[in-house]
Amino acid sequence: MKYDFDAEIVEVSPRDGIQNEKTILGLDAKLSLIDRAIAAGARRIEVTSFVNPKRVPQMADAESLAAALPRGAARYIGLALNRRGFDRVLAAGLDEVNFAVVLSETFSARNQGMTTDQGIALWHEVGRAAEGRIGTGLTLAAAFGCPFEGDMPLERMMDVLTRALDVMPAELTLADTIGAAVPVDITRRVAAVRDRWPDLPIRLHLHNTRNTGFANAWAGIQAGVRSFDASLGGVGGCPFAPRATGNIATEDLAWMLHRSRIDTGWNVDLACAAAAWLETQLGHEIPGMLMKAGAFPPAPRTT
């Protein structure tokens, strides 16, 4: 197939995918998950978060995981929510740090124990400290809605971003943390950011909580976004956001984009196999659809 253009899928199953799971994967299983993602086509992977292990025990082995990664096989991203987390990402030698600022005050207090203004100030500190040392991404969490405060007005988003982007990241991620967005929300918010900061790369972090995640991804494509977070098998959720269910599934997104003449570099069959393996590790059915239905058209049989 001749593709019209490329899009990037950033694999987040080792971090956002498993952070809300009751089954805590061991280090070897996490490394196997990362290896399977790389074999299927992942070139950027958010591998872990450097947070308090008492609050997120699934991420307690962040340093051990970082030390064991197959370096050079992909670019590895670590999530940080405060200065200590950033210092740990830096010490671990990862390629990028993803720092989160939360749009809503209530969710910011529950997720990070600080106000949004404090989060902005910390981002400024981290962004300046990272210069010349590590790649930086800024995620605006709950960018479309908050589980405690409801809708997040566009004006609120632009006010927070205007202040946060006094220090520019290499990339901005708009995160639909609780799966509250619909396609028109994606269109409007991406356009607002593009109008104000036309040269800033935008990534979308989408959850399929209310079955709009893939429609939102397509709206992102139409709005000019070319980078998306996704998780093998559609696993995911946030421990601090009620009813925040899974991410959009990597293999489902890759299949949809390939059928639309957009290349992702992923092998959907290997991604489905990796998702099926992850399902056995977690011990329960996971949301991905392509892993159940199979790709279409099916691969020709060989004799």
Side-chain angles (χ1 to χ4, degrees):
M1 178 187 294
K2 182 180 178 181
Y3 293 105
D4 294 335
F5 55 86
D6 296 345
E8 175 187 54
I9 299 176
V10 178
E11 180 58 35
V12 300
S13 59
R15 200 282 297 174
D16 196 36
I18 63 172
Q19 70 173 359
N20 208 31
E21 289 287 336
K22 293 181 180 178
T23 299
I24 298 179
L25 297 187
L27 179 60
D28 288 344
K30 291 178 181 179
L31 290 169
S32 183
L33 173 59
I34 290 166
D35 285 341
R36 292 166 190 268
I38 291 169
R43 294 299 173 261
R44 289 175 77 197
I45 308 173
E46 191 169 78
V47 290
T48 190
S49 58
F50 291 78
V51 293
N52 187 336
K54 293 181 180 178
R55 299 195 76 197
V56 190
Q58 296 87 344
M59 302 290 111
D61 58 358
E63 275 82 7
S64 297
L65 177 71
L69 289 169
R71 298 295 175 147
R75 286 185 62 83
Y76 300 120
I77 306 168
L79 176 69
L81 303 180
N82 53 35
R83 179 58 194 253
R84 173 167 168 73
F86 165 73
D87 290 339
R88 291 173 64 196
V89 175
L90 201 61
L94 298 188
D95 300 294
E96 303 176 36
V97 60
N98 179 22
F99 192 86
V101 171
V102 184
L103 190 56
S104 87
E105 294 292 352
T106 307
F107 191 31
S108 184
R110 297 199 182 203
N111 191 61
Q112 287 168 246
M114 65 184 71
T115 67
T116 299
D117 283 350
Q118 288 170 327
I120 291 170
L122 270 171
W123 157 246
H124 291 166
E125 179 183 337
V126 163
R128 292 186 179 106
E131 189 172 353
R133 304 166 76 187
I134 189 171
T136 57
L138 175 64
T139 289
L140 186 65
F144 299 88
C146 169
F148 310 105
E149 298 179 19
D151 282 331
M152 290 286 101
L154 177 58
E155 294 77 14
R156 164 72 174 173
M157 186 190 86
M158 294 304 291
D159 172 66
V160 168
L161 282 179
T162 297
R163 290 182 287 124
L165 295 179
D166 280 344
V167 175
M168 294 295 289
E171 179 182 55
L172 171 68
T173 298
L174 300 179
D176 187 16
T177 307
I178 62 168
V182 296
V184 69
D185 297 321
I186 304 295
T187 301
R188 289 172 178 167
R189 294 189 184 226
V190 169
V193 174
R194 279 275 166 80
D195 287 346
R196 177 67 177 80
W197 300 280
D199 298 324
L200 178 61
I202 299 173
R203 193 164 101 217
L204 289 175
H205 178 94
L206 303 171
H207 285 250
N208 202 36
T209 309
R210 293 167 178 84
N211 209 30
T212 57
F214 294 96
N216 290 340
W218 188 250
I221 287 287
Q222 292 183 312
V225 176
R226 295 295 180 263
S227 186
F228 301 84
D229 287 351
S231 176
L232 286 164
V235 295
C238 176
F240 309 109
R243 298 181 297 280
T245 55
N247 295 274
I248 55 174
T250 300
E251 63 278 9
D252 296 14
L253 178 62
W255 179 81
M256 180 183 80
L257 294 179
H258 293 177
R259 292 279 288 174
S260 305
R261 300 171 62 95
I262 301 166
D263 191 17
T264 69
W266 281 76
N267 180 309
V268 295
D269 293 324
L270 291 179
C272 284
W277 174 86
L278 180 57
E279 183 174 70
T280 65
Q281 298 298 306
L282 296 175
H284 63 80
E285 185 177 2
I286 60 178
M289 300 300 292
L290 196 75
M291 61 185 286
K292 303 176 181 71
F296 182 86
R301 293 184 179 182
T302 57
T303 58

